[in-house]
Amino acid sequence: MGIFRDIGAPGVIVLILGALLIFGPKRLPELGEAIGKMIREFKKSVSDIENKIDKKDENDKNEENKNS
């Protein structure tokens, strides 16, 4: 879990209770859904960029092999 690795169970419980107090029980699922969607979109964007870089590298290698 990365950032939550050092917090432990009591810390996670405190975070959840704090979120409940700040956002309330009705908005918390909406907030979780929005954060999940944001993370999925970010991962998709990173994956797309990595794929473009890989394709560019392959094209560069193919051109280099043709010129040799």
Side-chain angles (χ1 to χ4, degrees):
M1 279 175 49
I3 198 167
F4 294 112
R5 178 180 53 223
D6 297 330
I7 292 176
V12 172
I13 292 171
V14 169
L15 286 174
I16 291 171
L17 290 175
L20 275 171
L21 288 173
I22 293 171
F23 298 108
K26 291 183 181 179
R27 288 214 3 125
L28 204 56
E30 295 172 10
L31 183 66
E33 185 178 337
I35 290 172
K37 184 177 179 182
M38 180 180 65
I39 290 171
R40 281 191 302 274
E41 289 177 6
F42 178 76
K43 286 183 178 181
K44 183 179 180 284
S45 297
V46 169
S47 178
D48 290 345
I49 291 170
E50 288 175 344
N51 289 337
K52 287 180 182 179
I53 291 171
D54 289 343
K55 286 181 182 179
K56 175 105 172 81
D57 286 345
E58 281 184 28
N59 289 339
D60 289 348
K61 286 181 183 178
N62 288 338
E63 287 181 21
E64 190 176 292
N65 288 339
K66 288 180 182 178
N67 294 336
S68 295

